[in-house]
mmCIF file of all heavy atoms in Angstrom:
data_model
loop_
_atom_site.group_PDB
_atom_site.id
_atom_site.type_symbol
_atom_site.label_atom_id
_atom_site.label_comp_id
_atom_site.label_asym_id
_atom_site.label_seq_id
_atom_site.Cartn_x
_atom_site.Cartn_y
_atom_site.Cartn_z
ATOM 1 N N PRO V 59 5.403 -16.190 3.876
ATOM 2 C CA PRO V 59 5.374 -17.378 4.760
ATOM 3 C C PRO V 59 4.668 -18.622 4.071
ATOM 4 O O PRO V 59 5.069 -19.734 4.242
ATOM 5 C CB PRO V 59 4.607 -16.929 5.969
ATOM 6 C CG PRO V 59 4.937 -15.499 6.101
ATOM 7 C CD PRO V 59 4.962 -15.050 4.640
ATOM 8 N N ARG V 60 3.602 -18.328 3.248
ATOM 9 C CA ARG V 60 2.875 -19.446 2.603
ATOM 10 C C ARG V 60 3.819 -20.121 1.647
ATOM 11 O O ARG V 60 3.749 -21.333 1.495
ATOM 12 C CB ARG V 60 1.613 -18.973 1.994
ATOM 13 C CG ARG V 60 1.817 -17.978 0.832
ATOM 14 C CD ARG V 60 0.566 -17.234 0.419
ATOM 15 N NE ARG V 60 -0.473 -18.075 -0.038
ATOM 16 C CZ ARG V 60 -0.683 -18.348 -1.359
ATOM 17 N NH1 ARG V 60 0.144 -17.779 -2.286
ATOM 18 N NH2 ARG V 60 -1.619 -19.130 -1.769
ATOM 19 N N ASN V 61 4.727 -19.386 0.942
ATOM 20 C CA ASN V 61 5.597 -19.966 0.017
ATOM 21 C C ASN V 61 6.698 -20.797 0.765
ATOM 22 O O ASN V 61 7.047 -21.898 0.255
ATOM 23 C CB ASN V 61 6.250 -18.871 -0.897
ATOM 24 C CG ASN V 61 5.270 -18.212 -1.794
ATOM 25 O OD1 ASN V 61 4.143 -18.771 -1.940
ATOM 26 N ND2 ASN V 61 5.634 -17.064 -2.299
ATOM 27 N N LEU V 62 7.235 -20.328 1.829
ATOM 28 C CA LEU V 62 8.166 -21.068 2.666
ATOM 29 C C LEU V 62 7.484 -22.331 3.206
ATOM 30 O O LEU V 62 8.184 -23.356 3.165
ATOM 31 C CB LEU V 62 8.647 -20.186 3.848
ATOM 32 C CG LEU V 62 9.777 -19.331 3.644
ATOM 33 C CD1 LEU V 62 10.058 -18.384 4.811
ATOM 34 C CD2 LEU V 62 11.083 -20.096 3.335
ATOM 35 N N ALA V 63 6.263 -22.239 3.586
ATOM 36 C CA ALA V 63 5.572 -23.440 4.106
ATOM 37 C C ALA V 63 5.500 -24.526 3.030
ATOM 38 O O ALA V 63 5.808 -25.714 3.329
ATOM 39 C CB ALA V 63 4.171 -23.046 4.605
ATOM 40 N N ARG V 64 5.147 -24.124 1.820
ATOM 41 C CA ARG V 64 5.100 -25.076 0.702
ATOM 42 C C ARG V 64 6.417 -25.656 0.419
ATOM 43 O O ARG V 64 6.638 -26.902 0.302
ATOM 44 C CB ARG V 64 4.530 -24.426 -0.516
ATOM 45 C CG ARG V 64 3.142 -24.201 -0.517
ATOM 46 C CD ARG V 64 2.639 -23.708 -1.832
ATOM 47 N NE ARG V 64 1.239 -23.164 -1.681
ATOM 48 C CZ ARG V 64 0.857 -21.989 -2.139
ATOM 49 N NH1 ARG V 64 1.646 -21.280 -2.861
ATOM 50 N NH2 ARG V 64 -0.371 -21.605 -2.007
ATOM 51 N N GLU V 65 7.452 -24.809 0.312
ATOM 52 C CA GLU V 65 8.843 -25.257 0.020
ATOM 53 C C GLU V 65 9.375 -26.244 1.089
ATOM 54 O O GLU V 65 9.978 -27.261 0.724
ATOM 55 C CB GLU V 65 9.736 -24.098 -0.080
ATOM 56 C CG GLU V 65 11.140 -24.399 -0.423
ATOM 57 C CD GLU V 65 12.094 -23.164 -0.455
ATOM 58 O OE1 GLU V 65 11.617 -22.001 -0.643
ATOM 59 O OE2 GLU V 65 13.285 -23.371 -0.188
ATOM 60 N N LEU V 66 9.086 -25.957 2.343
ATOM 61 C CA LEU V 66 9.650 -26.759 3.437
ATOM 62 C C LEU V 66 8.722 -27.845 3.857
ATOM 63 O O LEU V 66 9.083 -28.660 4.697
ATOM 64 C CB LEU V 66 9.997 -25.823 4.537
ATOM 65 C CG LEU V 66 11.062 -24.769 4.319
ATOM 66 C CD1 LEU V 66 11.266 -23.843 5.487
ATOM 67 C CD2 LEU V 66 12.405 -25.394 3.980
ATOM 68 N N GLN V 67 7.520 -27.893 3.274
ATOM 69 C CA GLN V 67 6.497 -28.915 3.607
ATOM 70 C C GLN V 67 6.094 -28.874 5.015
ATOM 71 O O GLN V 67 6.092 -29.935 5.762
ATOM 72 C CB GLN V 67 6.976 -30.244 3.117
ATOM 73 C CG GLN V 67 7.152 -30.366 1.610
ATOM 74 C CD GLN V 67 7.527 -31.674 1.146
ATOM 75 O OE1 GLN V 67 7.786 -32.612 1.857
ATOM 76 N NE2 GLN V 67 7.617 -31.808 -0.196
ATOM 77 N N ILE V 68 5.870 -27.651 5.568
ATOM 78 C CA ILE V 68 5.436 -27.518 6.922
ATOM 79 C C ILE V 68 4.238 -26.577 6.901
ATOM 80 O O ILE V 68 3.967 -26.006 5.799
ATOM 81 C CB ILE V 68 6.508 -26.976 7.842
ATOM 82 C CG1 ILE V 68 7.061 -25.621 7.368
ATOM 83 C CG2 ILE V 68 7.676 -27.974 8.007
ATOM 84 C CD1 ILE V 68 8.083 -24.945 8.347
ATOM 85 N N SER V 69 3.599 -26.333 7.979
ATOM 86 C CA SER V 69 2.461 -25.395 7.972
ATOM 87 C C SER V 69 2.920 -23.967 8.000
ATOM 88 O O SER V 69 4.031 -23.688 8.426
ATOM 89 C CB SER V 69 1.569 -25.628 9.197
ATOM 90 O OG SER V 69 2.145 -25.201 10.401
ATOM 91 N N GLU V 70 2.050 -23.021 7.589
ATOM 92 C CA GLU V 70 2.362 -21.624 7.623
ATOM 93 C C GLU V 70 2.522 -21.199 9.067
ATOM 94 O O GLU V 70 3.373 -20.321 9.441
ATOM 95 C CB GLU V 70 1.283 -20.820 6.897
ATOM 96 C CG GLU V 70 1.705 -19.445 6.706
ATOM 97 C CD GLU V 70 0.695 -18.707 5.812
ATOM 98 O OE1 GLU V 70 0.003 -19.314 5.008
ATOM 99 O OE2 GLU V 70 0.651 -17.406 5.896
ATOM 100 N N GLY V 71 1.721 -21.788 9.982
ATOM 101 C CA GLY V 71 1.896 -21.463 11.393
ATOM 102 C C GLY V 71 3.263 -21.815 11.899
ATOM 103 O O GLY V 71 3.785 -21.047 12.698
ATOM 104 N N GLU V 72 3.814 -22.907 11.473
ATOM 105 C CA GLU V 72 5.133 -23.359 11.855
ATOM 106 C C GLU V 72 6.223 -22.307 11.342
ATOM 107 O O GLU V 72 7.194 -22.033 12.029
ATOM 108 C CB GLU V 72 5.453 -24.723 11.392
ATOM 109 C CG GLU V 72 4.737 -25.806 12.157
ATOM 110 C CD GLU V 72 4.923 -27.158 11.554
ATOM 111 O OE1 GLU V 72 4.541 -27.387 10.374
ATOM 112 O OE2 GLU V 72 5.509 -28.030 12.245
ATOM 113 N N VAL V 73 5.967 -21.836 10.150
ATOM 114 C CA VAL V 73 6.851 -20.790 9.591
ATOM 115 C C VAL V 73 6.818 -19.606 10.440
ATOM 116 O O VAL V 73 7.912 -19.062 10.819
ATOM 117 C CB VAL V 73 6.521 -20.469 8.144
ATOM 118 C CG1 VAL V 73 7.349 -19.308 7.612
ATOM 119 C CG2 VAL V 73 6.808 -21.707 7.223
ATOM 120 N N ILE V 74 5.611 -19.119 10.769
ATOM 121 C CA ILE V 74 5.495 -17.923 11.634
ATOM 122 C C ILE V 74 6.240 -18.069 12.948
ATOM 123 O O ILE V 74 6.993 -17.278 13.370
ATOM 124 C CB ILE V 74 4.045 -17.493 11.832
ATOM 125 C CG1 ILE V 74 3.372 -17.176 10.547
ATOM 126 C CG2 ILE V 74 3.905 -16.385 12.825
ATOM 127 C CD1 ILE V 74 3.962 -15.929 9.764
ATOM 128 N N ARG V 75 6.029 -19.265 13.539
ATOM 129 C CA ARG V 75 6.641 -19.556 14.861
ATOM 130 C C ARG V 75 8.197 -19.526 14.782
ATOM 131 O O ARG V 75 8.852 -19.269 15.766
ATOM 132 C CB ARG V 75 6.161 -20.919 15.342
ATOM 133 C CG ARG V 75 6.631 -21.274 16.781
ATOM 134 C CD ARG V 75 6.075 -22.621 17.234
ATOM 135 N NE ARG V 75 4.602 -22.601 17.352
ATOM 136 C CZ ARG V 75 3.962 -22.022 18.409
ATOM 137 N NH1 ARG V 75 4.648 -21.465 19.376
ATOM 138 N NH2 ARG V 75 2.642 -22.034 18.393
ATOM 139 N N ALA V 76 8.686 -19.898 13.585
ATOM 140 C CA ALA V 76 10.161 -19.978 13.434
ATOM 141 C C ALA V 76 10.816 -18.697 12.866
ATOM 142 O O ALA V 76 11.998 -18.595 12.747
ATOM 143 C CB ALA V 76 10.476 -21.152 12.464
ATOM 144 N N LEU V 77 9.931 -17.694 12.614
ATOM 145 C CA LEU V 77 10.614 -16.414 12.164
ATOM 146 C C LEU V 77 11.460 -15.892 13.204
ATOM 147 O O LEU V 77 11.310 -16.131 14.401
ATOM 148 C CB LEU V 77 9.443 -15.353 11.843
ATOM 149 C CG LEU V 77 8.671 -15.631 10.601
ATOM 150 C CD1 LEU V 77 7.480 -14.584 10.563
ATOM 151 C CD2 LEU V 77 9.461 -15.461 9.399
ATOM 152 N N PRO V 78 12.341 -14.956 12.829
ATOM 153 C CA PRO V 78 13.226 -14.297 13.821
ATOM 154 C C PRO V 78 12.273 -13.596 14.866
ATOM 155 O O PRO V 78 11.209 -13.062 14.464
ATOM 156 C CB PRO V 78 14.022 -13.335 13.054
ATOM 157 C CG PRO V 78 14.111 -13.869 11.657
ATOM 158 C CD PRO V 78 12.765 -14.623 11.458
ATOM 159 N N GLU V 79 12.736 -13.572 16.164
ATOM 160 C CA GLU V 79 11.915 -13.008 17.162
ATOM 161 C C GLU V 79 11.421 -11.635 16.947
ATOM 162 O O GLU V 79 10.319 -11.310 17.390
ATOM 163 C CB GLU V 79 12.677 -13.117 18.531
ATOM 164 C CG GLU V 79 12.717 -14.481 19.115
ATOM 165 C CD GLU V 79 13.212 -14.525 20.549
ATOM 166 O OE1 GLU V 79 13.125 -13.496 21.230
ATOM 167 O OE2 GLU V 79 13.806 -15.564 20.887
ATOM 168 N N HIS V 80 12.193 -10.760 16.351
ATOM 169 C CA HIS V 80 11.802 -9.392 16.154
ATOM 170 C C HIS V 80 10.674 -9.282 15.146
ATOM 171 O O HIS V 80 10.131 -8.239 14.963
ATOM 172 C CB HIS V 80 12.968 -8.542 15.681
ATOM 173 C CG HIS V 80 13.453 -8.773 14.345
ATOM 174 N ND1 HIS V 80 14.319 -9.761 14.054
ATOM 175 C CD2 HIS V 80 13.211 -8.121 13.136
ATOM 176 C CE1 HIS V 80 14.596 -9.822 12.767
ATOM 177 N NE2 HIS V 80 13.980 -8.827 12.222
ATOM 178 N N MET V 81 10.317 -10.410 14.442
ATOM 179 C CA MET V 81 9.270 -10.367 13.416
ATOM 180 C C MET V 81 7.952 -10.983 13.944
ATOM 181 O O MET V 81 6.946 -10.844 13.224
ATOM 182 C CB MET V 81 9.683 -11.199 12.229
ATOM 183 C CG MET V 81 10.852 -10.430 11.430
ATOM 184 S SD MET V 81 11.083 -11.415 9.857
ATOM 185 C CE MET V 81 12.046 -10.215 9.007
ATOM 186 N N ARG V 82 7.932 -11.560 15.061
ATOM 187 C CA ARG V 82 6.708 -12.281 15.490
ATOM 188 C C ARG V 82 6.561 -12.325 17.023
ATOM 189 O O ARG V 82 7.624 -12.294 17.728
ATOM 190 C CB ARG V 82 6.600 -13.715 14.928
ATOM 191 C CG ARG V 82 7.871 -14.546 15.112
ATOM 192 C CD ARG V 82 7.863 -15.396 16.311
ATOM 193 N NE ARG V 82 9.055 -16.199 16.395
ATOM 194 C CZ ARG V 82 9.694 -16.347 17.535
ATOM 195 N NH1 ARG V 82 9.271 -15.875 18.657
ATOM 196 N NH2 ARG V 82 10.736 -17.153 17.573
ATOM 197 N N LEU V 83 5.357 -12.273 17.448
ATOM 198 C CA LEU V 83 5.005 -12.289 18.830
ATOM 199 C C LEU V 83 3.707 -12.983 19.048
ATOM 200 O O LEU V 83 2.724 -12.606 18.489
ATOM 201 C CB LEU V 83 4.973 -10.897 19.413
ATOM 202 C CG LEU V 83 4.726 -10.652 20.889
ATOM 203 C CD1 LEU V 83 5.827 -11.209 21.729
ATOM 204 C CD2 LEU V 83 4.480 -9.192 21.214
ATOM 205 N N GLU V 84 3.649 -13.979 19.934
ATOM 206 C CA GLU V 84 2.407 -14.732 20.133
ATOM 207 C C GLU V 84 1.595 -14.114 21.180
ATOM 208 O O GLU V 84 2.138 -13.614 22.201
ATOM 209 C CB GLU V 84 2.776 -16.206 20.479
ATOM 210 C CG GLU V 84 1.534 -17.041 20.479
ATOM 211 C CD GLU V 84 1.821 -18.557 20.630
ATOM 212 O OE1 GLU V 84 2.941 -18.929 21.000
ATOM 213 O OE2 GLU V 84 0.948 -19.382 20.291
ATOM 214 N N ALA V 85 0.326 -14.013 20.971
ATOM 215 C CA ALA V 85 -0.677 -13.489 21.903
ATOM 216 C C ALA V 85 -1.584 -14.697 22.376
ATOM 217 O O ALA V 85 -1.836 -15.624 21.576
ATOM 218 C CB ALA V 85 -1.484 -12.393 21.316
ATOM 219 N N PRO V 86 -2.021 -14.550 23.585
ATOM 220 C CA PRO V 86 -2.994 -15.767 24.076
ATOM 221 C C PRO V 86 -4.250 -15.857 23.275
ATOM 222 O O PRO V 86 -4.926 -14.734 23.077
ATOM 223 C CB PRO V 86 -3.222 -15.436 25.495
ATOM 224 C CG PRO V 86 -2.314 -14.309 25.876
ATOM 225 C CD PRO V 86 -1.848 -13.593 24.590
ATOM 226 N N VAL V 87 -4.667 -16.957 22.896
ATOM 227 C CA VAL V 87 -5.947 -17.233 22.252
ATOM 228 C C VAL V 87 -7.124 -16.732 23.139
ATOM 229 O O VAL V 87 -8.065 -16.227 22.600
ATOM 230 C CB VAL V 87 -6.085 -18.687 21.851
ATOM 231 C CG1 VAL V 87 -7.510 -18.940 21.255
ATOM 232 C CG2 VAL V 87 -5.033 -19.115 20.782
#
Side-chain angles (χ1 to χ4, degrees):
R60 65 194 298 266
N61 294 343
L62 272 173
R64 284 188 196 132
E65 179 183 335
L66 300 173
Q67 299 181 356
I68 60 176
S69 72
E70 192 170 336
E72 289 174 296
V73 170
I74 298 298
R75 185 177 298 281
L77 287 173
E79 283 189 26
H80 70 279
M81 291 185 165
R82 49 94 178 139
L83 181 66
E84 191 169 17
V87 173

